[in-house]
Coordinates of all heavy atoms in Angstrom, one line a residue:
T282 N 290.5 105.0 163.6 CA 291.5 104.9 162.6 C 292.7 105.6 163.1 O 293.8 105.1 162.9 CB 291.0 105.6 161.3 OG1 289.8 105.0 160.8 CG2 292.0 105.5 160.2
T283 N 292.6 106.9 163.7 CA 293.7 107.6 164.2 C 294.4 106.7 165.3 O 295.6 106.8 165.3 CB 293.3 109.0 164.7 OG1 292.6 109.6 163.7 CG2 294.4 109.8 165.2
M284 N 293.7 106.2 166.2 CA 294.3 105.5 167.2 C 295.1 104.3 166.7 O 296.2 103.9 167.1 CB 293.3 104.9 168.3 CG 292.7 106.0 169.1 SD 293.8 106.9 170.1 CE 294.1 105.7 171.4
K285 N 294.6 103.6 165.7 CA 295.2 102.5 165.0 C 296.5 103.0 164.4 O 297.5 102.3 164.5 CB 294.2 101.9 164.0 CG 294.8 100.5 163.4 CD 293.8 100.0 162.5 CE 294.2 98.6 162.0 NZ 293.3 98.0 161.2
L286 N 296.5 104.1 163.7 CA 297.7 104.6 163.0 C 298.7 105.1 164.1 O 299.9 104.7 164.0 CB 297.3 105.8 162.1 CG 298.4 106.6 161.4 CD1 299.1 105.6 160.5 CD2 297.9 107.8 160.8
L287 N 298.3 105.9 165.0 CA 299.3 106.4 166.0 C 299.7 105.5 167.1 O 300.6 105.7 167.8 CB 298.8 107.8 166.5 CG 298.7 108.9 165.5 CD1 298.2 110.2 166.3 CD2 300.0 109.1 164.9
G288 N 299.0 104.3 167.1 CA 299.3 103.4 168.2 C 300.4 102.4 167.8 O 300.7 101.5 168.6
D289 N 300.9 102.6 166.6 CA 302.0 101.7 166.2 C 303.4 102.2 166.7 O 303.7 103.3 166.5 CB 301.9 101.6 164.6 CG 303.0 100.7 164.0 OD1 302.9 99.4 164.2 OD2 304.0 101.3 163.5
F290 N 304.2 101.3 167.2 CA 305.5 101.6 167.7 C 306.3 102.3 166.6 O 306.9 103.4 166.9 CB 306.1 100.4 168.2 CG 307.6 100.5 168.6 CD1 307.9 101.2 169.8 CD2 308.6 100.1 167.7 CE1 309.3 101.3 170.1 CE2 310.0 100.3 168.1 CZ 310.3 100.9 169.3
W291 N 306.5 101.7 165.4 CA 307.4 102.3 164.4 C 306.8 103.5 163.8 O 307.6 104.4 163.5 CB 307.6 101.2 163.3 CG 308.5 100.1 163.7 CD1 308.1 98.8 163.8 CD2 309.8 100.2 164.1 NE1 309.1 98.1 164.3 CE2 310.2 98.9 164.5 CE3 310.7 101.3 164.2 CZ2 311.5 98.6 164.9 CZ3 312.0 101.0 164.7 CH2 312.4 99.7 165.0
T292 N 305.5 103.7 163.7 CA 305.0 105.0 163.3 C 305.4 106.0 164.3 O 305.8 107.2 163.7 CB 303.4 104.9 163.3 OG1 303.1 103.8 162.2 CG2 302.7 106.1 162.8
L293 N 305.2 105.8 165.5 CA 305.6 107.0 166.5 C 307.1 107.2 166.3 O 307.5 108.4 166.4 CB 305.2 106.5 167.9 CG 303.8 106.4 168.2 CD1 303.5 105.8 169.5 CD2 303.1 107.8 168.1
R294 N 307.9 106.2 166.2 CA 309.4 106.5 166.0 C 309.7 107.2 164.8 O 310.6 108.1 164.9 CB 310.1 105.1 166.1 CG 309.9 104.2 167.3 CD 311.0 104.3 168.3 NE 312.4 104.7 168.0 CZ 313.4 103.9 167.7 NH1 313.3 102.6 167.8 NH2 314.6 104.4 167.4
I295 N 309.0 106.9 163.7 CA 309.3 107.6 162.4 C 308.9 109.1 162.6 O 309.7 109.9 162.2 CB 308.5 106.9 161.3 CG1 309.1 105.5 161.0 CG2 308.6 107.8 160.1 CD1 308.3 104.6 160.2
L296 N 307.7 109.3 163.1 CA 307.3 110.7 163.2 C 308.2 111.5 164.2 O 308.6 112.6 163.8 CB 305.8 110.7 163.8 CG 304.7 110.2 162.9 CD1 303.4 110.1 163.6 CD2 304.6 111.1 161.7
D297 N 308.6 110.9 165.2 CA 309.6 111.6 166.1 C 310.9 111.8 165.5 O 311.5 112.9 165.6 CB 309.8 110.7 167.4 CG 310.5 111.4 168.4 OD1 310.1 112.5 168.8 OD2 311.5 110.9 169.0
A298 N 311.4 110.9 164.7 CA 312.6 111.0 163.9 C 312.6 112.1 162.9 O 313.7 112.7 162.5 CB 313.1 109.8 163.3
L299 N 311.4 112.4 162.3 CA 311.3 113.4 161.3 C 311.0 114.8 161.8 O 310.7 115.8 161.1 CB 310.2 113.0 160.3 CG 310.5 111.8 159.5 CD1 309.2 111.4 158.7 CD2 311.6 112.0 158.6
K300 N 310.9 115.0 163.2 CA 310.4 116.2 163.8 C 311.3 117.4 163.5 O 310.8 118.6 163.5 CB 310.1 116.0 165.3 CG 311.4 116.0 166.1 CD 311.0 115.7 167.6 CE 312.3 115.4 168.4 NZ 311.9 114.9 169.7
L301 N 312.6 117.3 163.2 CA 313.5 118.3 163.1 C 313.7 118.7 161.6 O 313.9 119.9 161.3 CB 314.9 118.0 163.7 CG 314.8 117.8 165.2 CD1 316.2 117.4 165.7 CD2 314.3 119.0 166.0
D302 N 313.8 117.8 160.7 CA 314.2 118.1 159.4 C 313.8 116.9 158.4 O 313.4 115.8 158.9 CB 315.6 118.4 159.2 CG 316.0 119.2 158.1 OD1 315.2 119.7 157.3 OD2 317.3 119.4 157.8
E303 N 313.9 117.2 157.1 CA 313.7 116.1 156.1 C 314.9 115.1 156.3 O 316.0 115.6 156.6 CB 313.5 116.6 154.8 CG 314.7 117.3 154.1 CD 314.5 117.7 152.7 OE1 313.3 117.8 152.3 OE2 315.4 118.0 152.0
V304 N 314.6 113.9 156.0 CA 315.7 112.8 156.1 C 315.6 111.9 155.0 O 314.5 111.4 154.5 CB 315.4 112.0 157.5 CG1 316.4 110.9 157.8 CG2 315.3 113.0 158.7
R305 N 316.7 111.4 154.6 CA 316.8 110.4 153.6 C 316.5 109.0 154.1 O 316.6 108.8 155.3 CB 318.3 110.4 153.0 CG 318.6 111.6 152.3 CD 320.0 111.5 151.8 NE 320.1 111.4 150.4 CZ 321.1 111.4 149.6 NH1 322.3 111.5 150.2 NH2 321.0 111.4 148.3
F306 N 316.0 108.1 153.3 CA 315.6 106.8 153.7 C 316.7 106.0 154.5 O 316.4 105.6 155.7 CB 315.2 106.0 152.5 CG 314.6 104.6 152.9 CD1 313.2 104.5 153.1 CD2 315.5 103.5 153.1 CE1 312.7 103.2 153.5 CE2 314.9 102.3 153.5 CZ 313.5 102.2 153.7
C307 N 317.8 106.0 154.0 CA 318.9 105.2 154.8 C 319.2 105.9 156.1 O 319.6 105.2 157.0 CB 320.2 105.2 153.9 SG 319.9 104.0 152.4
E308 N 319.3 107.2 156.1 CA 319.5 107.9 157.3 C 318.4 107.6 158.4 O 318.7 107.4 159.5 CB 319.7 109.4 157.1 CG 320.1 110.3 158.3 CD 320.1 111.7 158.0 OE1 320.1 112.0 156.8 OE2 320.2 112.5 158.9
L309 N 317.2 107.6 157.9 CA 316.0 107.4 158.7 C 316.2 105.9 159.3 O 316.0 105.6 160.5 CB 314.7 107.5 158.0 CG 313.5 107.4 158.8 CD1 313.5 108.3 160.0 CD2 312.3 107.7 157.9
Q310 N 316.6 105.0 158.5 CA 316.7 103.6 158.9 C 317.8 103.5 159.9 O 317.6 102.8 161.0 CB 317.1 102.8 157.6 CG 317.1 101.2 157.9 CD 317.5 100.4 156.8 OE1 318.0 100.9 155.7 NE2 317.3 99.2 156.9
R311 N 318.9 104.2 159.8 CA 319.9 104.1 160.8 C 319.5 104.8 162.1 O 319.8 104.3 163.2 CB 321.2 104.8 160.3 CG 322.1 104.0 159.3 CD 323.4 104.6 159.1 NE 323.3 106.0 158.5 CZ 323.2 106.2 157.2 NH1 323.1 105.3 156.4 NH2 323.1 107.5 156.8
T312 N 318.8 105.9 162.0 CA 318.3 106.6 163.2 C 317.3 105.6 164.0 O 317.4 105.6 165.2 CB 317.5 107.8 162.7 OG1 318.5 108.7 162.1 CG2 316.9 108.5 164.0
L313 N 316.6 104.8 163.3 CA 315.7 103.9 163.9 C 316.3 102.5 164.3 O 315.7 101.5 164.2 CB 314.5 103.7 163.0 CG 313.7 105.0 162.7 CD1 312.7 104.8 161.7 CD2 313.1 105.5 164.1
D314 N 317.7 102.5 164.5 CA 318.4 101.3 164.9 C 318.2 100.2 163.8 O 318.1 99.0 164.2 CB 317.9 100.8 166.2 CG 318.1 101.9 167.3 OD1 319.1 102.5 167.3 OD2 317.2 101.9 168.2
N315 N 318.4 100.6 162.6 CA 318.4 99.7 161.4 C 317.2 98.9 161.3 O 317.2 97.6 161.2 CB 319.7 98.8 161.5 CG 320.9 99.5 161.1 OD1 320.9 100.3 160.2 ND2 322.0 99.4 161.8
V316 N 316.0 99.5 161.4 CA 314.7 98.9 161.3 C 314.7 98.2 159.9 O 315.4 98.6 159.0 CB 313.5 99.9 161.4 CG1 313.7 101.0 160.4 CG2 312.2 99.3 161.3
N317 N 314.0 97.1 159.9 CA 313.9 96.3 158.6 C 313.4 97.2 157.6 O 312.4 98.0 157.8 CB 312.9 95.2 158.9 CG 312.7 94.3 157.7 OD1 312.4 94.8 156.6 ND2 312.9 93.0 157.9
P318 N 314.0 97.3 156.4 CA 313.6 98.2 155.4 C 312.2 98.0 154.9 O 311.5 98.9 154.4 CB 314.6 97.9 154.2 CG 315.4 96.8 154.6 CD 315.2 96.5 156.1
V319 N 311.7 96.8 154.9 CA 310.3 96.5 154.4 C 309.4 97.1 155.4 O 308.3 97.8 155.0 CB 310.0 95.0 154.3 CG1 308.6 94.6 154.0 CG2 311.0 94.4 153.2
T320 N 309.6 96.9 156.7 CA 308.8 97.6 157.7 C 308.7 99.1 157.6 O 307.7 99.8 157.6 CB 309.3 97.2 159.1 OG1 309.2 95.8 159.3 CG2 308.6 97.8 160.3
L321 N 310.0 99.7 157.4 CA 310.1 101.2 157.2 C 309.3 101.6 156.0 O 308.6 102.6 156.1 CB 311.5 101.5 157.2 CG 311.8 103.0 157.1 CD1 311.2 103.8 158.2 CD2 313.3 103.3 157.1
T322 N 309.5 100.9 154.9 CA 308.8 101.3 153.7 C 307.3 101.3 153.9 O 306.5 102.2 153.4 CB 309.2 100.4 152.5 OG1 310.6 100.5 152.3 CG2 308.5 100.7 151.2
K323 N 306.8 100.1 154.4 CA 305.3 100.1 154.7 C 304.8 101.2 155.5 O 303.7 101.8 155.3 CB 305.0 98.7 155.3 CG 305.1 97.6 154.3 CD 304.7 96.3 155.1 CE 304.8 95.1 154.1 NZ 304.5 93.8 154.7
R324 N 305.5 101.5 156.7 CA 305.0 102.5 157.6 C 305.1 103.9 157.0 O 304.2 104.7 157.1 CB 305.9 102.6 158.9 CG 305.8 101.3 159.7 CD 304.3 100.9 160.0 NE 304.3 99.9 161.1 CZ 304.5 98.6 160.9 NH1 304.9 98.2 159.8 NH2 304.4 97.7 161.9
L325 N 306.2 104.2 156.1 CA 306.3 105.4 155.4 C 305.1 105.6 154.4 O 304.6 106.6 154.3 CB 307.6 105.6 154.7 CG 308.8 105.9 155.7 CD1 310.1 105.7 155.0 CD2 308.7 107.3 156.2
K326 N 304.8 104.6 153.7 CA 303.7 104.6 152.8 C 302.3 104.8 153.4 O 301.6 105.7 153.0 CB 303.6 103.3 152.0 CG 302.5 103.2 150.9 CD 302.7 104.2 149.8 CE 301.6 104.0 148.8 NZ 301.2 105.3 148.2
T327 N 302.2 104.2 154.6 CA 300.9 104.5 155.4 C 300.8 106.0 155.9 O 299.8 106.5 155.8 CB 300.9 103.5 156.6 OG1 300.9 102.2 156.1 CG2 299.7 103.8 157.5
L328 N 302.0 106.4 156.3 CA 302.1 107.8 156.7 C 301.8 108.8 155.6 O 301.2 109.8 155.8 CB 303.4 108.1 157.5 CG 303.5 107.4 158.8 CD1 305.0 107.5 159.3 CD2 302.5 108.0 159.8
E329 N 302.4 108.5 154.4 CA 302.1 109.2 153.2 C 300.6 109.3 152.9 O 300.1 110.4 152.7 CB 302.8 108.7 152.0 CG 304.3 109.1 151.9 CD 304.9 108.5 150.7 OE1 304.7 109.1 149.6 OE2 305.5 107.4 150.8
D330 N 300.0 108.1 152.8 CA 298.6 108.0 152.5 C 297.7 108.8 153.6 O 296.7 109.3 153.2 CB 298.1 106.5 152.6 CG 298.7 105.7 151.4 OD1 299.3 106.4 150.4 OD2 298.8 104.5 151.4
A331 N 298.2 108.8 154.8 CA 297.5 109.5 155.8 C 297.8 111.0 155.8 O 297.3 111.8 156.6 CB 297.8 109.0 157.3
R332 N 298.6 111.5 154.9 CA 299.1 112.8 154.7 C 299.8 113.4 155.9 O 299.8 114.6 156.2 CB 297.9 113.8 154.5 CG 297.2 113.3 153.1 CD 296.0 114.2 152.9 NE 295.5 114.7 154.2 CZ 294.3 115.3 154.3 NH1 293.5 115.5 153.4 NH2 294.0 115.7 155.5
L333 N 300.6 112.5 156.7 CA 301.3 113.0 157.8 C 302.9 113.2 157.3 O 303.5 113.9 158.0 CB 301.3 112.0 158.9 CG 299.9 111.7 159.6 CD1 300.0 110.7 160.6 CD2 299.4 113.0 160.2
V334 N 303.2 112.5 156.3 CA 304.6 112.6 155.8 C 304.5 112.9 154.3 O 303.7 112.4 153.6 CB 305.3 111.2 156.1 CG1 306.6 111.1 155.3 CG2 305.5 111.0 157.5
V335 N 305.5 113.6 153.9 CA 305.8 114.0 152.4 C 307.0 113.4 152.0 O 308.1 113.5 152.5 CB 305.8 115.5 152.3 CG1 306.0 116.0 150.9 CG2 304.5 116.2 152.9
R336 N 306.9 112.7 150.9 CA 308.0 112.0 150.2 C 308.5 112.9 149.0 O 307.7 113.3 148.2 CB 307.6 110.7 149.7 CG 308.6 110.0 148.9 CD 308.1 108.6 148.4 NE 309.0 107.6 148.0 CZ 309.4 107.6 146.7 NH1 309.0 108.4 145.8 NH2 310.4 106.7 146.4
S337 N 309.8 113.1 148.9 CA 310.4 114.0 147.9 C 311.5 113.3 147.2 O 312.4 112.7 147.8 CB 310.9 115.3 148.4 OG 309.9 116.1 149.1
E338 N 311.4 113.2 145.8 CA 312.5 112.7 145.0 C 313.4 113.8 144.6 O 313.0 114.9 144.2 CB 312.0 111.9 143.9 CG 311.3 110.7 144.2 CD 310.8 109.9 143.0 OE1 310.9 110.3 141.9 OE2 310.2 108.9 143.2
E339 N 314.8 113.5 144.5 CA 315.8 114.4 144.0 C 315.4 114.5 142.5 O 315.2 113.5 141.8 CB 317.2 113.8 144.2 CG 318.3 114.7 143.7 CD 318.4 115.9 144.6 OE1 318.2 115.9 145.8 OE2 318.6 117.0 144.0
T340 N 315.3 115.7 142.0 CA 315.0 115.9 140.6 C 316.0 115.6 139.6 O 315.7 115.2 138.5 CB 314.5 117.5 140.4 OG1 315.7 118.3 140.8 CG2 313.3 117.8 141.2
V341 N 317.2 115.5 140.1 CA 318.4 115.2 139.1 C 318.5 113.8 138.8 O 318.4 113.3 137.7 CB 319.7 115.8 139.6 CG1 320.8 115.4 138.7 CG2 319.6 117.3 139.8
D342 N 318.6 112.9 139.9 CA 318.9 111.5 139.7 C 317.7 110.6 140.1 O 317.8 109.4 139.7 CB 320.1 111.1 140.4 CG 320.1 111.3 141.9 OD1 319.0 111.5 142.5 OD2 321.2 111.2 142.6
K343 N 316.8 111.1 140.8 CA 315.6 110.3 141.2 C 315.9 109.1 142.0 O 315.2 108.3 142.3 CB 314.7 109.9 140.1 CG 314.2 111.1 139.3 CD 312.9 110.7 138.7 CE 312.4 111.9 137.9 NZ 311.1 112.4 138.2
I344 N 317.2 109.1 142.5 CA 317.6 108.0 143.4 C 317.5 108.4 144.8 O 317.1 107.6 145.7 CB 319.1 107.6 143.1 CG1 319.1 107.0 141.7 CG2 319.6 106.6 144.2 CD1 320.5 106.7 141.2
S345 N 317.7 109.7 145.1 CA 317.7 110.2 146.4 C 316.2 110.6 146.8 O 315.5 111.3 146.1 CB 318.5 111.5 146.6 OG 319.9 111.2 146.3
V346 N 315.8 110.0 147.8 CA 314.4 110.2 148.3 C 314.4 110.7 149.8 O 315.2 110.2 150.6 CB 313.5 108.9 148.3 CG1 312.2 109.1 148.9 CG2 313.5 108.4 146.9
T347 N 313.7 111.8 150.0 CA 313.7 112.3 151.4 C 312.3 112.2 152.0 O 311.3 112.2 151.2 CB 314.3 113.7 151.5 OG1 313.6 114.6 150.6 CG2 315.7 113.7 151.1
Y348 N 312.1 112.3 153.2 CA 310.9 112.3 153.9 C 310.9 113.4 154.9 O 311.9 113.7 155.6 CB 310.6 110.9 154.6 CG 310.5 109.8 153.6 CD1 311.6 109.1 153.3 CD2 309.2 109.4 153.1 CE1 311.5 108.0 152.4 CE2 309.1 108.4 152.2 CZ 310.2 107.7 151.8 OH 310.2 106.7 150.9
A349 N 309.7 114.0 155.0 CA 309.5 115.1 156.0 C 308.1 115.1 156.5 O 307.2 114.5 155.8 CB 309.9 116.4 155.3
L350 N 307.9 115.7 157.7 CA 306.6 115.7 158.2 C 305.8 116.9 157.4 O 306.4 117.9 157.0 CB 306.6 116.3 159.6 CG 307.2 115.3 160.7 CD1 307.1 115.9 162.0 CD2 306.4 113.9 160.6
S351 N 304.5 116.6 157.1 CA 303.6 117.6 156.6 C 303.2 118.5 157.7 O 303.5 118.3 158.8 CB 302.5 116.8 155.9 OG 301.7 116.3 156.9
G352 N 302.4 119.5 157.3 CA 301.8 120.3 158.3 C 301.0 119.5 159.3 O 301.1 119.7 160.6
L353 N 300.2 118.6 158.8 CA 299.4 117.7 159.7 C 300.3 116.8 160.5 O 300.0 116.6 161.7 CB 298.5 116.8 158.8 CG 297.4 115.9 159.4 CD1 296.5 116.8 160.3 CD2 296.7 115.2 158.4
G354 N 301.4 116.3 160.0 CA 302.3 115.5 160.6 C 302.9 116.2 161.8 O 303.2 115.6 162.9
R355 N 303.2 117.5 161.6 CA 303.8 118.3 162.7 C 302.9 118.4 163.9 O 303.3 118.6 165.0 CB 304.2 119.7 162.2 CG 305.5 119.7 161.4 CD 305.9 121.1 161.1 NE 306.6 121.1 159.9 CZ 306.1 121.3 158.7 NH1 304.8 121.5 158.6 NH2 306.9 121.3 157.6
E356 N 301.6 118.3 163.7 CA 300.6 118.4 164.7 C 300.7 117.1 165.7 O 300.2 117.2 166.8 CB 299.2 118.5 164.2 CG 299.0 119.8 163.6 CD 297.6 120.1 163.1 OE1 296.6 119.5 163.8 OE2 297.4 120.8 162.1
T357 N 301.4 116.1 165.3 CA 301.5 114.9 166.1 C 302.7 115.0 167.0 O 302.7 114.3 168.1 CB 301.7 113.6 165.2 OG1 303.0 113.7 164.6 CG2 300.7 113.4 164.2
I358 N 303.5 116.0 166.9 CA 304.8 116.1 167.7 C 304.4 116.4 169.2 O 304.9 115.7 170.1 CB 305.7 117.2 167.2 CG1 306.2 116.7 165.7 CG2 306.9 117.4 168.2 CD1 306.8 115.4 165.7
P359 N 303.4 117.3 169.5 CA 303.0 117.4 171.0 C 302.4 116.2 171.5 O 302.6 115.9 172.7 CB 302.0 118.6 170.9 CG 302.3 119.4 169.6 CD 302.8 118.2 168.6
I360 N 301.7 115.4 170.6 CA 301.2 114.1 171.1 C 302.3 113.1 171.5 O 302.2 112.5 172.6 CB 300.2 113.5 170.1 CG1 299.1 114.4 169.8 CG2 299.7 112.1 170.5 CD1 298.3 114.1 168.5
I361 N 303.2 113.1 170.7 CA 304.4 112.2 170.9 C 305.2 112.6 172.2 O 305.6 111.8 173.0 CB 305.3 112.0 169.7 CG1 304.5 111.3 168.5 CG2 306.5 111.2 170.0 CD1 305.1 111.4 167.2
A362 N 305.4 113.9 172.3 CA 306.0 114.4 173.5 C 305.3 114.2 174.7 O 305.9 113.7 175.8 CB 306.3 116.0 173.3
A363 N 304.0 114.2 174.7 CA 303.1 113.9 175.9 C 303.3 112.4 176.2 O 303.4 112.0 177.4 CB 301.7 114.3 175.6
L364 N 303.3 111.6 175.1 CA 303.6 110.1 175.4 C 304.9 109.8 176.0 O 305.0 109.0 176.9 CB 303.4 109.4 174.1 CG 301.9 109.2 173.6 CD1 302.0 108.6 172.2 CD2 301.0 108.3 174.5
N365 N 305.9 110.5 175.6 CA 307.3 110.3 176.2 C 307.3 110.8 177.6 O 307.9 110.1 178.4 CB 308.3 111.2 175.3 CG 308.6 110.4 174.1 OD1 308.5 109.2 173.9 ND2 309.0 111.2 173.0
R366 N 306.6 112.0 177.9 CA 306.6 112.4 179.3 C 305.9 111.4 180.1 O 306.3 111.1 181.3 CB 305.9 113.8 179.4 CG 306.8 114.9 178.9 CD 306.1 116.3 179.3 NE 304.9 116.5 178.7 CZ 304.6 116.9 177.5 NH1 305.4 117.3 176.7 NH2 303.3 117.1 177.1
F367 N 304.8 110.8 179.7 CA 304.0 109.8 180.4 C 304.9 108.6 180.7 O 304.9 108.0 181.8 CB 302.7 109.5 179.7 CG 301.9 108.4 180.4 CD1 301.2 108.7 181.4 CD2 302.1 107.1 179.9 CE1 300.4 107.7 182.1 CE2 301.3 106.1 180.6 CZ 300.6 106.4 181.7
S368 N 305.7 108.3 179.7 CA 306.5 107.1 179.7 C 307.5 107.2 180.8 O 307.8 106.4 181.6 CB 307.2 106.7 178.4 OG 308.0 105.7 178.5
E369 N 308.1 108.4 180.9 CA 309.1 108.7 181.9 C 308.5 108.7 183.3 O 309.1 108.1 184.2 CB 309.8 110.1 181.6 CG 310.7 110.1 180.4 CD 311.8 109.1 180.5 OE1 312.4 109.0 181.5 OE2 312.0 108.4 179.4
K370 N 307.3 109.3 183.4 CA 306.7 109.3 184.7 C 306.2 107.8 185.2 O 306.4 107.5 186.4 CB 305.4 110.1 184.7 CG 305.7 111.5 184.7 CD 304.3 112.4 184.6 CE 304.5 113.8 184.5 NZ 303.3 114.6 184.4
S371 N 305.8 107.0 184.2 CA 305.3 105.7 184.6 C 306.4 104.7 185.0 O 306.2 103.7 185.6 CB 304.5 105.0 183.4 OG 305.3 104.8 182.3
K372 N 307.7 105.1 184.6 CA 308.9 104.3 185.0 C 309.2 104.4 186.5 O 309.7 103.4 187.0 CB 310.1 104.7 184.2 CG 310.2 104.4 182.7 CD 311.4 104.9 182.1 CE 311.4 104.6 180.7 NZ 312.6 105.2 180.0
S373 N 308.7 105.3 187.1 CA 308.9 105.5 188.5 C 308.0 104.6 189.4 O 308.1 104.6 190.6 CB 308.9 107.0 188.9 OG 307.6 107.5 188.8
Y374 N 306.9 104.0 188.8 CA 305.9 103.3 189.5 C 306.3 101.9 189.6 O 306.9 101.2 189.0 CB 304.5 103.4 188.8 CG 303.9 104.7 189.0 CD1 303.7 105.5 187.9 CD2 303.5 105.3 190.2 CE1 303.2 106.8 187.9 CE2 303.0 106.5 190.3 CZ 302.8 107.3 189.2 OH 302.3 108.5 189.3

């Protein structure tokens, strides 16, 4: 199950994009090169269900929604960093 979840291109990009701070949906979409909003919504929901991402609504207007890594989600950052290092090394072959 974990391999299936973390083996997805967009999932890895989302987790990497959230590594520094919480991000609003539109900002996240722009960061991910304008990923299709349906794809982004589905992946975020999957990550929420897996408890890797936390969704927060603005209490005043409920229009602003932000996403952030949970504690469990932060544990994926070294994994993603290792994949990035491997990718850089494999380019030289």
